[in-house]
Amino acid sequence: MRAVILPGHGGPEVLSLEEVEDPDVGVGDVLVRLEGVGLNHLDLDIRAGVARIELELPVILGSEGVGRIERVSPEAAGQWREGDRVMVAEEIPCGRCEVCVVGRQNLCMQGSWLGSTRPGCYAELIAVPADAVIALPEERPATDWAAVQAAFGTAWHMLITRGGLRAGERVLVNAAGSGIGSAAVQIAKYAGATVLATAGSEPKLARARELGADLTFDYSDAGWSDAVLEATKGAGVDLVYDHVGGDVFVKSLDLTRPGGRIATCGAHAGETVPLDIIELFRAERTIIGSRCYTRSESETVIELVAAGHLDPVVDSVIALDEIPEGHRRLEARAAFGKVVVTPQRLTSGAPAAGPDVQANHE
Ligand SMILES: [Zn+2]
């Protein structure tokens, strides 16, 4: 099969399209022919060597993918059939440790991760345990479903499960133009909140309003946080959804009302920030860490997409050999929503891989 390999850390140019052995279908595994693969910022961090994840190179990158089951191991025969449409879970938890048994599998430290500690989705095929795939409906193209898991799963976990967002609350979504930002705007709106959103350009702000943001603020304008405060008549917001970090995190914490909370899952703009502890406890603010999502949260967001309550935001669809370009697009923050790869396609227009692969009608 073809796959995009990370042989060593560096810029997008180190990513290498190669012909490699098809994955082994182990005991209890299913083999999935991938039809849509989402690019994530985590992929860029792993590529650059700044993700703080121990891994062995070379590795096939790519944490999220969807496709159809091509082969089922005998052990998984009762569970899945060839041709079933599935999403591959990004994380494969151990299922046995103390966090796994209480349903917080996203905190499992003994599991493995696609595209870092096990081969990922920048490939035509992937083999995973039968429990690590989730059924998808036939509606919508694969490229839409490839934009669902990390974006909506992360946003759901952070806003609803961890952030406890309730109807009628006021929420600030930072960097609403990103995959998880555009997903958060939709989930916050679905939850009945008033949504304030920031982004770095007017076109992105306009898109955020289309997705349901009630008020938008340009964070390239130095006075954006004053504008948020003014828009809330000095009251601030109940919950901040931040994945930016740095100065944006510090200002956002100040924007939470007394008793308010800020949830964080990213820190590209700065991983270490000053914290005024006095302000924090006097205002009884809560800082909430949030780390990916569980399988049942993935199933929840799949149902909401299928029912039309949430709409995956696809920035662009690219071929397997355009992944370095996709990384550059994310790095330049030029995308609105997800960059999605169709792994059975090359820019030459060439080859759908296997004989039984449908043409890329999406
Ligand atoms: Zn576990």
Side-chain angles (χ1 to χ4, degrees), residues 93-97 99-100 108:
C94 80
R96 297 179 303 273
C97 70
V99 291
C100 278
C108 179

Side-chain angles (χ1 to χ4, degrees), residues 339-356:
V339 176
V340 173
V341 182
T342 50
Q344 312 299 330
R345 188 169 64 87
L346 298 178
T347 43
S348 58
D356 48 354

Side-chain angles (χ1 to χ4, degrees), residues 76-133:
Q79 220 172 333
W80 298 103
R81 296 192 351 207
E82 285 172 19
D84 285 347
R85 195 181 204 200
V86 292
M87 174 180 285
V88 185
E90 173 184 11
E91 181 191 14
I92 301 176
C94 80
R96 297 179 303 273
C97 70
E98 56 184 16
V99 291
C100 278
V101 298
V102 297
R104 298 189 74 179
Q105 300 91 339
N106 66 314
L107 296 178
C108 179
M109 296 298 160
Q110 285 145 51
S112 58
W113 292 81
L114 304 188
S116 55
T117 55
R118 60 183 294 142
C121 299
Y122 290 4
E124 293 178 299
L125 296 165
I126 190 166
V128 290
D131 289 339
V133 294

Side-chain angles (χ1 to χ4, degrees), residues 183-342:
V185 168
Q186 294 185 58
I187 288 174
K189 203 67 203 167
Y190 174 73
T194 300
V195 183
L196 290 73
T198 67
S201 70
E202 182 45 41
K204 287 186 177 183
L205 295 172
R207 293 288 305 277
R209 289 192 292 273
E210 282 168 26
L211 292 175
D214 298 285
L215 295 166
T216 55
F217 305 87
D218 189 337
Y219 64 61
S220 60
D221 171 355
W224 72 268
S225 60
D226 294 335
V228 171
L229 206 55
E230 202 172 306
T232 60
K233 299 187 170 63
V237 299
D238 298 288
L239 175 65
V240 177
Y241 177 94
D242 185 59
H243 55 108
V244 179
D247 185 51
V248 171
F249 178 90
V250 175
K251 284 183 170 162
S252 298
L253 181 58
D254 281 344
L255 288 171
T256 58
R257 67 190 313 161
R261 52 227 196 263
I262 181 169
T264 172
C265 75
H268 284 103
E271 298 176 3
T272 323
V273 295
L275 172 67
D276 185 336
I277 297 170
I278 306 276
E279 279 284 318
L280 181 76
F281 73 68
R282 282 191 183 160
E284 291 203 343
R285 290 177 170 135
T286 305
I287 299 175
I288 301 165
S290 189
R291 181 177 193 253
C292 57
Y293 44 84
T294 63
R295 181 192 176 98
S296 80
E297 288 169 326
S298 294
E299 289 166 346
T300 298
V301 296
I302 287 170
E303 278 173 29
L304 291 171
V305 170
H309 296 301
L310 303 175
D311 195 18
V313 182
V314 176
D315 169 76
S316 44
V317 177
I318 61 176
L320 189 63
D321 52 344
E322 292 177 301
I323 288 179
E325 204 41 57
H327 275 220
R328 288 186 192 99
R329 186 164 174 78
L330 286 186
E331 231 150 35
R333 308 210 171 270
F336 189 97
K338 298 287 285 194
V339 176
V340 173
V341 182
T342 50

